[in-house]
Amino acid sequence: MDPTTTTPRWNLERPFLTGRFHQETKGPTQKTVSKPFSMDLFSRGTGSVIGSYAVSVQELLVIEDLLSALVGIEGRYISVKRVRGKEGHVVFQIDPSMDLALQELTQRIFPLCEDFVLVSHFVESRSHFKSGLVNHAFAAALRAFLLDYQAMAAQLEHQFRLGRLSVQGLWFFCQPMMGLLHALAILVEKVSSNNFSGSATLNLLQSQAKAMAGDNAVRSLLDKMTECASTAYLAMLERWVYEGVIDDPYGEFFIAENKSLQKESLTQDYDAKYWQQRYSLKDGIPSFLTSVAVTILTTGKYLNVMRECGHTVQVPLSENSKLMSFGLNHHYLECIKAAYDFASSRLLSLIKDKYDLIGKLRSMKRYLLLDQGDFLVHFMDIAKDELVKKPEEISVEKLQSLLDLALRTTAAASDICHEELTCCVERTSLLKRLNSLKDLVSQTNESVSDDADQHEPLKITGLETFCLSYKVQWPLSLVISRKALTKYQLIFRLLFHCKHVNRQLCMAWQVHQGFRSFKILGTPILRSSILCRSMIKFINSLLHYLTFEVLEPNWHLMHDQLQAATSIDEVIRFHDFFLQKCLKECLLLVPQLLTKIEKLKSICLQYAASIQMLIPSIYMPEIESAFDPSDSTRMGRSKPKKFLIRGQQLKLASQNVIISDSIMKFEKEFNIELQSLVPILSNSSQTEPYLTHLAQCILAVGSDQ
């Protein structure tokens, strides 16, 4: 149905079709006459007023007019005036010359007449298209009730024609209808004055019915009206929970659809609100659905996801599953629960089985959480020349080709999901990237902006900004959204950089191994060797903590939770909780500790670069050329002499101020940062138990120093 459809103008402009043919009065609504009318107003060409007749004749005349007034038509001695400013309200007035006793009885019946006109006007006005389906259904129920009322008026007229009806009898027969019609008049007046529609009308009907619990007849009537008015609403509800379709041409349903939000945003926008706001609850939920509103919303969302996947799924229908009413037996709640269970199980099965959610998450763990590291070692070997460049100078296409080569030549080649892996290069350091994600910064008690600037490397390279990405298709993007993928990438960048630091320290350690056959006691080489070992132990302890104390336990916990999940919302919640907990326990949400760790890694990198540059400078190439390796007769005699010369080189190295000062400088900086980290970890571990393991590892490194 087109919501823009309007009522034809001719239906509004013909007053005798709309009940707007009464003259208007400026006075307020009132039940008694506040100002008498002139006598000629009531004469209507009769030549005399009603008071000029005998009382018995007056009674017959007023009964005839009252029978017309019961259906909203004025008579010869009873007039009807519309009240200005109050739509649908009229006042009935009588010739003041009438007998006072008859006037009293007549005026008792006027409220019934006025209520009829008010309800009739509501039926007419709320039957327009713009009023909505609920008001249409309510107006139809009122129209059916007014037919019974008009049938009563016709029966009273028949009794009058037979000479069996008096004013007192008319008053008596109208008694049962007065309470019912007055209750409806109060109801329609509230609906009209507040311009209610949809759920607001249903809530008012329910509240009015509960308020009339002491009057069984009125309560039964209002319950009947509520049931009739809710039929259209339940039809909308039925299409939503059984088909996932919003059939709401007039905006009455309590679920809104935001069509501007597309599913593609899940993989593109970090702050995508597709799942939360594509379909959402509006204000004014019907009171009988308040307890299951979220269930209803979720049921339709699940059905829509399956339809977006190309699966036309409809909840199986039966005679018992029809949402006919919301009576006291709560059958409608059972139908909603059954629809939710069906939609939830089908969608969960679809995502787990057909789209292999667990397999995709396991693949992401293998690559982004470095569960399988052989491809990474190979990649770092073949891509080192590209990664040492500035981020803006790096060719992402070349890195991608090198990544593909590393994946195809290692054990990762057996994983069919490795083709979904891509590489990217950020433009900022890890600290600055974290500070740019406001939702993560808001979860910490401090900002990392100052520390990010203070510890920002002077030269950012691809080694600090490289990260992996993963292609995620619908509907898996509901779980692995852009935000979730970003969190994976933050953890990957931390692990990748730790691996890089560890590789550089190992290369520095290999430089030291060239002197292990010589006496280095008391030389800078020994001091440097001890420092290098401590740094390696620190970075290995950090990697061990991140991998085996944080990622592995939390992954297994999430895996078990996903296996037991009963809905896609639970899957999303468990996955988000896993990522959030990993971010926190990996220190990415603890700025004070993260900046300390980054500072220590920076010192390790500077030390490794210096050692690889300074220590080889003490080698003397001419020593190797002084002896011909092919001369086997001289090899035995040359070996003691070679050791002697190497000893002299070590002595010279110990006198080398640059080497000695550099090693002492790095040792001092490393020890200071390490010792400053110990009290922070010790204090934090009291409130954050997960830091206990890291504190123990750091203390072990400190004790070695």
Side-chain angles (χ1 to χ4, degrees):
M1 184 183 294
D2 184 1
T4 62
T5 306
T6 58
T7 302
R9 289 185 59 82
W10 60 264
N11 194 33
L12 301 174
E13 294 172 350
R14 304 176 95 177
F16 284 92
L17 289 177
T18 60
R20 296 175 59 88
F21 52 84
H22 302 298
Q23 297 181 11
E24 191 175 84
T25 181
K26 298 181 181 180
T29 303
Q30 49 192 2
K31 301 303 180 183
T32 59
V33 179
S34 59
K35 184 177 180 179
F37 290 88
S38 60
M39 293 299 147
D40 57 352
L41 179 65
F42 296 94
S43 62
R44 304 295 173 95
T46 59
S48 61
V49 295
I50 193 171
S52 61
Y53 298 105
V55 175
S56 59
V57 177
Q58 291 184 32
E59 182 175 9
L60 295 176
L61 293 174
V62 77
I63 289 175
E64 186 174 12
D65 278 8
L66 280 172
L67 290 172
S68 297
L70 286 176
V71 291
I73 302 174
E74 59 184 4
R76 288 181 295 174
Y77 304 103
I78 296 178
S79 64
V80 185
K81 299 293 181 181
R82 287 189 293 117
V83 179
R84 176 177 295 179
K86 302 192 72 174
E87 194 72 17
H89 287 265
V90 298
V91 291
F92 285 79
Q93 298 172 329
I94 195 169
D95 185 347
S97 65
M98 183 186 296
D99 180 73
L100 294 178
L102 287 176
Q103 282 192 49
E104 177 65 24
L105 283 174
T106 301
Q107 290 173 355
R108 290 182 183 179
I109 301 174
F110 282 169
L112 178 63
C113 305
E114 294 168 359
D115 291 340
F116 170 80
V117 173
L118 180 60
V119 174
S120 297
H121 176 269
F122 178 86
V123 170
E124 176 65 31
S125 62
R126 290 306 185 272
S127 296
H128 298 168
F129 292 110
K130 64 180 181 180
S131 300
L133 297 178
V134 173
N135 281 338
H136 291 172
F138 182 36
L142 290 174
R143 186 180 289 110
F145 174 80
L146 292 182
L147 288 176
D148 293 339
Y149 171 86
Q150 290 168 335
M152 179 201 75
Q155 291 172 355
L156 291 175
E157 184 178 8
H158 178 66
Q159 292 297 316
F160 174 67
R161 301 304 177 196
L162 296 176
R164 301 175 184 173
L165 188 66
S166 63
V167 175
Q168 188 69 39
L170 179 62
W171 163 248
F172 173 78
F173 288 123
C174 287
Q175 284 297 305
M177 191 61 71
M178 289 193 72
L180 300 178
L181 199 57
H182 184 62
L184 293 178
I186 293 174
L187 187 62
V188 300
E189 183 177 6
K190 290 182 178 180
V191 174
S192 299
S193 60
N194 294 287
N195 198 26
F196 282 162
S197 64
S199 58
T201 300
L202 294 178
N203 288 336
L204 179 62
L205 281 165
Q206 272 202 311
S207 62
Q208 288 293 107
K210 291 178 181 178
M212 301 302 296
D215 191 329
N216 289 332
V218 174
R219 174 64 184 268
S220 177
L221 174 65
L222 294 182
D223 284 340
K224 179 66 175 178
M225 291 292 161
T226 306
E227 181 179 348
C228 292
S230 65
T231 303
Y233 204 88
L234 290 175
M236 289 186 279
L237 176 62
E238 190 173 283
R239 287 213 68 187
W240 173 251
V241 298
Y242 289 160
E243 302 176 37
V245 175
I246 296 181
D247 185 9
D248 183 22
Y250 303 108
E252 300 171 278
F253 199 43
F254 66 93
I255 294 176
E257 179 182 9
N258 186 352
K259 294 185 178 180
S260 64
L261 296 176
Q262 300 297 319
K263 64 179 184 292
E264 290 76 16
S265 65
L266 288 169
T267 58
Q268 300 168 0
D269 185 5
Y270 178 83
D271 295 314
K273 301 295 183 182
Y274 177 87
W275 186 242
Q276 295 81 10
Q277 297 180 7
R278 171 65 187 232
Y279 298 99
S280 58
L281 296 176
K282 297 193 294 189
D283 295 333
I285 301 172
S287 56
F288 64 93
L289 295 176
T290 302
S291 61
V292 290
V294 176
T295 302
I296 293 170
L297 172 66
T298 306
T299 302
K301 286 169 65 176
Y302 291 170
L303 294 173
N304 271 282
V305 171
M306 287 185 278
R307 188 166 61 248
E308 290 275 5
C309 295
H311 296 266
T312 304
V313 180
Q314 183 173 356
V315 178
L317 297 177
S318 63
E319 289 299 324
N320 293 330
S321 62
K322 291 290 184 180
L323 299 176
M324 303 301 295
S325 65
F326 51 93
L328 297 178
N329 59 359
H330 299 302
H331 174 66
Y332 69 100
L333 295 179
E334 298 175 3
C335 294
I336 293 171
K337 181 64 167 59
Y340 170 79
D341 291 340
F342 173 83
S344 177
S345 61
R346 287 295 296 271
L347 177 59
L348 190 62
S349 175
L350 183 70
I351 288 182
K352 278 188 175 182
D353 299 335
K354 180 176 179 179
Y355 293 97
D356 191 21
L357 172 65
I358 303 298
K360 287 292 189 295
L361 291 176
R362 190 177 290 113
S363 177
M364 294 186 69
K365 173 176 180 278
R366 180 178 298 117
Y367 301 119
L368 274 77
L369 302 184
L370 303 187
D371 185 46
Q372 179 178 326
D374 59 335
F375 87 95
L376 186 67
V377 173
H378 187 35
F379 172 74
M380 294 178 77
D381 287 336
I382 61 179
K384 60 183 179 180
D385 293 337
E386 195 69 23
L387 290 174
V388 295
K389 297 179 181 179
K390 294 180 180 180
E392 58 271 14
E393 298 175 356
I394 294 176
S395 171
V396 179
E397 292 77 10
K398 184 175 182 180
L399 280 182
Q400 183 65 51
S401 63
L402 293 174
L403 176 63
D404 293 339
L405 177 61
L407 291 171
R408 290 195 300 268
T409 55
T410 58
S414 60
D415 180 16
I416 60 174
C417 296
H418 78 268
E419 296 180 356
E420 308 296 330
L421 205 61
T422 61
C423 62
C424 56
V425 179
E426 300 284 352
R427 290 293 184 267
T428 59
S429 67
L430 179 61
L431 287 171
K432 281 194 173 182
R433 177 59 175 152
L434 281 167
N435 199 49
S436 67
L437 302 175
K438 300 304 181 184
D439 64 314
L440 297 182
V441 174
S442 63
Q443 298 173 31
T444 64
N445 297 325
E446 51 189 307
S447 174
V448 300
S449 58
D450 296 337
D451 291 324
D453 294 334
Q454 181 180 354
H455 299 295
E456 182 78 10
L458 297 177
K459 180 184 177 183
I460 295 291
T461 67
L463 293 164
E464 286 81 24
T465 58
F466 172 79
C467 65
L468 295 179
S469 188
Y470 201 89
K471 298 176 184 177
V472 182
Q473 304 298 327
W474 173 267
L476 294 182
S477 55
L478 287 172
V479 181
I480 313 171
S481 62
R482 176 73 256 176
K483 177 176 286 189
L485 185 57
T486 300
K487 294 177 179 179
Y488 274 108
Q489 290 176 327
L490 291 172
I491 298 172
F492 172 82
R493 289 183 64 180
L494 176 63
L495 293 172
F496 180 81
H497 196 250
C498 287
K499 291 282 188 181
H500 165 62
V501 174
N502 186 59
R503 281 169 59 88
Q504 295 301 309
L505 289 174
C506 288
M507 292 173 65
W509 179 255
Q510 290 175 358
V511 172
H512 290 90
Q513 295 307 295
F515 295 93
R516 65 180 180 178
S517 300
F518 303 95
K519 296 180 180 180
I520 58 175
L521 187 63
T523 65
I525 303 300
L526 176 61
R527 195 181 195 100
S528 177
S529 178
I530 296 174
L531 177 59
C532 186
R533 185 179 62 183
S534 297
M535 288 181 171
I536 292 175
K537 186 173 183 180
F538 162 74
I539 204 68
N540 284 339
S541 298
L542 180 60
L543 282 170
H544 181 276
Y545 164 77
L546 295 174
T547 304
F548 298 105
E549 302 292 347
V550 176
L551 298 178
E552 281 294 331
N554 286 323
W555 164 264
H556 289 295
L557 176 62
M558 180 196 68
H559 183 270
D560 293 341
Q561 290 174 331
L562 294 184
Q563 295 290 0
T566 58
S567 70
I568 191 63
D569 279 298
E570 285 189 1
V571 170
I572 295 173
R573 186 168 65 252
F574 292 146
H575 184 245
D576 288 346
F577 179 78
F578 159 74
L579 288 175
Q580 199 65 22
K581 190 176 181 185
C582 287
L583 284 176
K584 184 177 181 181
E585 296 185 3
C586 287
L587 312 181
L588 293 170
L589 300 183
V590 189
Q592 187 180 19
L593 288 174
L594 182 60
T595 51
K596 290 289 184 182
I597 296 295
E598 290 298 308
K599 177 62 176 176
L600 283 166
K601 289 195 298 178
S602 177
I603 294 173
C604 291
L605 283 176
Q606 294 174 32
Y607 163 80
S610 298
I611 291 301
Q612 294 177 59
M613 180 182 66
L614 293 175
I615 290 185
S617 66
I618 68 173
Y619 285 97
M620 299 180 64
E622 62 272 14
I623 296 177
E624 302 298 331
S625 61
F627 302 95
D628 185 4
S630 62
D631 189 352
S632 59
T633 60
R634 299 183 58 186
M635 284 294 291
R637 297 195 304 270
S638 65
K639 191 171 183 181
K641 190 173 182 179
K642 182 178 178 181
F643 275 94
L644 179 61
I645 295 176
R646 183 57 57 85
Q648 292 176 353
Q649 290 177 326
L650 290 176
K651 184 177 181 180
L652 292 174
S654 64
Q655 297 173 357
N656 190 316
V657 179
I658 297 178
I659 295 178
S660 301
D661 290 348
S662 297
I663 293 173
M664 292 184 66
K665 171 179 171 292
F666 287 123
E667 182 181 32
K668 181 179 179 181
E669 290 181 359
F670 181 74
N671 288 334
I672 290 175
E673 290 297 329
L674 193 65
Q675 292 304 318
S676 66
L677 187 61
V678 171
I680 298 175
L681 282 173
S682 299
N683 295 331
S684 301
S685 62
Q686 296 177 4
T687 55
E688 304 291 351
Y690 63 86
L691 293 175
T692 303
H693 298 290
L694 182 60
Q696 293 172 350
C697 296
I698 299 300
L699 287 173
V701 176
S703 63
D704 288 349
Q705 287 294 100

